[in-house]
Amino acid sequence: MYSDYEIVVILSKEQNMRRAAEKLFLTQPALSQRLQNIEKEWGTQLFIRSQKGLLPTPSGEIVLELSQDVIQKRELALEKVQLLSSKVHGTLKIACASIVGQNWLPTVLKKYVNSYPEAKISLHTGWSSEIVRSLVDGEAQIGIVRGQTEWKGKKIHLFRDTLYLVDQEMTSLEQVKRSNKPFIQFKSDSSYYQEIQQWWQKNFSMTPKQQIVVDQIETCKQMALNGLGYAILPSITLSDYDQINKIPLIHEDPAFELTRDTWLIGYDAAFELPQVASFVKMATEETEQGTL
């Protein structure tokens, strides 16, 4: 059962009774009753309904700040207790690059959950810059990022992707030079886009005749699979079942190659937590076994 402090925090975050009830695994009437009891205990109204949803009153803001502080201190205490125990439990808080969260992480987490059923998992996915921010803000214990992310704490290399030029018809880079098909690219907040541009300039003396830019890598892949153009995609997104030609962008001169690294990062203290140490061990073993 969730504590009163957790209910106040979730109501503030969701700003909606229905969504908060779903997250708390309660019915809306049950949640309304819990909120009434909490407000009765404090002797004041903590939330008001507005066009933007539930908003904390001035009194509610004070109780919310206390609730966040209590939850954070409880989690820190649990982590310290875990350091004294060999049993893996508590919450594993991961912030992970979306592409890794969709294609590689689920396999590792499935093994992790089966091995440590008492451990809980909190997962946030997003761009690599958001992952770093989650670590700095204390919202995650470890992060999984792509590319050359600046990080002064502990940094473990997980795997390296080969990048492929994929197309329904073309089978060589020479054919790209003569193609009138669109070059499909996806947006990224990292150096990914710049790295592709630099690779293109080193290998071709011309620019693509047509370009299409989409907001998601999966959209980019699906457009290429449906023959709308060609794209450059990392191996992590491709499988043997994809009916498309894959031209590896490798070269005898490393300066002309295009690869993508994935890193596990975090502060040193986080790696001492049993739930984190167990995950790191499992993740590195997974990459060593070549399951990517």
Side-chain angles (χ1 to χ4, degrees):
M1 180 180 293
Y2 286 89
S3 69
D4 290 349
Y5 297 116
E6 291 171 314
I7 287 175
V8 169
V9 170
I10 290 174
L11 281 170
S12 176
K13 183 177 181 181
E14 297 298 331
Q15 298 183 329
N16 179 281
M17 289 292 289
R18 179 184 58 79
R19 291 198 302 268
E22 290 175 354
K23 195 161 188 177
L24 292 163
F25 298 99
L26 294 172
T27 63
Q28 287 191 54
L31 178 56
S32 296
Q33 185 61 52
R34 284 290 299 272
L35 178 57
Q36 289 177 21
N37 293 339
I38 295 170
E39 291 180 326
K40 184 177 180 181
E41 181 180 343
W42 284 97
T44 185
Q45 186 177 10
L46 301 182
F47 292 92
I48 58 173
R49 296 181 184 274
S50 72
Q51 291 181 343
K52 295 183 178 180
L54 287 177
L55 295 176
T57 64
S59 298
E61 290 178 354
I62 295 173
V63 176
L64 174 62
E65 184 177 354
L66 171 66
S67 300
Q68 291 170 329
D69 187 51
V70 169
I71 292 171
Q72 184 178 27
K73 287 182 177 179
R74 182 178 182 276
E75 290 178 346
L76 289 173
L78 283 172
E79 290 176 353
K80 290 178 180 179
V81 170
Q82 288 177 43
L83 290 174
L84 304 176
S85 171
S86 59
K87 197 171 186 178
V88 176
H89 47 79
T91 302
L92 172 67
K93 299 178 183 178
I94 308 174
C96 180
S98 297
I99 186 174
V100 181
Q102 294 168 355
N103 296 281
W104 177 81
L105 187 60
T107 300
V108 181
L109 288 183
K110 181 179 180 180
K111 292 182 178 180
Y112 184 85
V113 169
N114 289 337
S115 299
Y116 310 107
E118 294 188 29
K120 298 179 181 178
I121 296 172
S122 172
L123 175 63
H124 164 73
T125 60
W127 282 342
S128 290
S129 61
E130 297 173 330
I131 307 310
V132 172
R133 194 179 310 121
S134 294
L135 290 172
V136 173
D137 293 344
E139 297 174 354
Q141 298 155 337
I142 52 174
I144 300 176
V145 294
R146 301 273 287 173
Q148 299 303 318
T149 302
E150 292 295 327
W151 181 254
K152 294 183 179 180
K154 193 165 184 178
K155 191 173 182 179
I156 299 173
H157 185 260
L158 288 178
F159 53 83
R160 171 171 292 175
D161 285 299
T162 297
L163 271 79
Y164 293 86
L165 190 144
V166 298
D167 184 71
Q168 283 287 358
E169 300 169 351
M170 294 186 290
T171 58
S172 72
L173 294 181
E174 285 300 315
Q175 291 174 292
V176 176
K177 299 177 182 179
R178 302 187 296 272
S179 176
N180 292 317
K181 299 174 71 172
F183 179 24
I184 308 168
Q185 300 184 72
F186 59 92
K187 294 179 182 178
S188 171
D189 74 333
S190 67
S191 60
Y192 200 0
Y193 181 81
Q194 287 76 15
E195 289 173 6
I196 290 177
Q197 299 303 308
Q198 291 170 4
W199 175 87
W200 188 280
Q201 292 169 8
K202 289 177 181 177
N203 287 271
F204 301 117
S205 58
M206 31 66 81
T207 58
K209 292 182 175 62
Q210 299 182 60
Q211 295 188 61
I212 299 175
V213 180
V214 297
D215 61 347
Q216 297 287 339
I217 192 169
E218 184 60 27
T219 305
C220 179
K221 175 184 173 180
Q222 291 302 321
M223 291 181 72
L225 286 174
N226 283 278
L228 297 177
Y230 58 92
I232 291 179
L233 297 173
S235 55
I236 191 174
T237 65
L238 301 170
S239 74
D240 295 335
Y241 300 104
D242 293 325
Q243 300 298 312
I244 197 165
N245 297 320
K246 309 178 187 79
I247 307 169
L249 305 184
I250 56 177
H251 197 279
E252 58 185 17
D253 183 350
F256 287 85
E257 286 189 356
L258 189 57
T259 57
R260 196 75 173 158
D261 290 301
T262 296
W263 304 85
L264 195 154
I265 63 175
Y267 292 108
D268 290 347
F271 284 87
E272 298 177 10
L273 297 171
Q275 71 269 35
V276 174
S278 300
F279 173 81
V280 172
K281 183 175 183 294
M282 189 168 289
T284 51
E285 287 177 349
E286 188 77 6
T287 56
E288 289 171 0
Q289 292 169 3
T291 56
L292 179 63

